[in-house]
Amino acid sequence: MPAEFDPSKVAIVFVLGGPGSGKGTQCARLVKEYGFVHLSAGDLLREEQSRPDSQYGSMIAEHIRDGKIVPMHVTISLLRNAIEANLKKYDNASRPGWGHGHGRFLIDGFPRKMDQAIEFEESVCSAQFVLFLHCTEEMMLKRLLHRGETSGRIDDNAESIKKRFRTFEETSMPVVDAFRKVGKVAEVDSMRDVDNVYAEIEKVMEAKLIQH
Ligand code: ADP
Ligand code: C5P
Ligand code: MG
């Protein structure tokens, strides 16, 4: 069976990087300047977790606290539903890159595990490329502890962060490496300030994003 969405109409960019590398921050800017819809897998999972009649609430909360990857069928169906809803919402809108089945998405924090990558590309939509934000653990730890002062997230504490770093190295980096092998990764150094990182990302978008 072919993938559900046609990549010649639906542009998907995966945004990957360690916890605290700046994915959410940079995606917010890209939304404003390129007309992307930003789908953060983590945000969608947190939303599902707090939905009162969700059957997955406690399972998601446990996985997030321990920095573990939620089983892919849950995350993929949240993403798939969000893609469909946004294509519908903007089908007749005059948003750049949208209308008549066209759209563009930043999928942030996904795929975090090899099975998610394979299943999503086979059954939902193939991605144009992966934007990979590179940052040291030392810097990410500093940023996350600072974010934790106000985020209210159950995983922005030293113990959870340590687990998230381990999952990132063991489970998520192999995904980046697999995309790198097929020439689909654009890497940006995200150690610098937000404006400088964004300037590098803009160059990547100009060079790599295919606008239909
Ligand atoms: P991610 O989505 O990759 O986990 P965020 O975008 O939420 O990361 O950023 C983590 C924290 O670091 C936030 O508090 C954010 O404001 C801050 N931050 C993001 N990018 C930078 C940067 N380039 N320099 C300094 N702080 C940053
Ligand atoms: O990207 P973010 O830091 O918001 O992700 C928070 C948590 O959500 C992850 O540590 C993980 O537990 C879960 N998650 C997941 N699968 C993804 C993205 C996030 O299980 N693809
Ligand atoms: Mg984030």
Side-chain angles (χ1 to χ4, degrees), residues 18-25 38 40 42-43 46 108-109 112 144 147 153 164:
S21 57
K23 300 180 295 295
T25 304
H38 171 209
S40 156
D43 287 350
R46 281 182 286 274
D108 156 3
R112 287 263 235 297
L144 289 175
R147 188 177 74 182
R153 280 180 53 161
R164 292 158 70 195

Side-chain angles (χ1 to χ4, degrees), residues 17-70:
S21 57
K23 300 180 295 295
T25 304
Q26 297 297 333
C27 285
R29 292 192 67 165
L30 286 165
V31 163
K32 287 192 206 136
E33 295 182 36
Y34 289 86
F36 283 108
V37 161
H38 171 209
L39 300 178
S40 156
D43 287 350
L44 289 170
L45 287 167
R46 281 182 286 274
E47 207 177 285
E48 176 67 18
Q49 181 216 313
S50 55
R51 204 168 52 84
D53 51 351
S54 171
Q55 56 176 312
Y56 302 120
S58 53
M59 181 276 280
I60 293 174
E62 278 168 33
H63 279 74
I64 288 181
R65 194 195 49 234
D66 292 337
K68 289 196 295 216
I69 305 300
V70 172

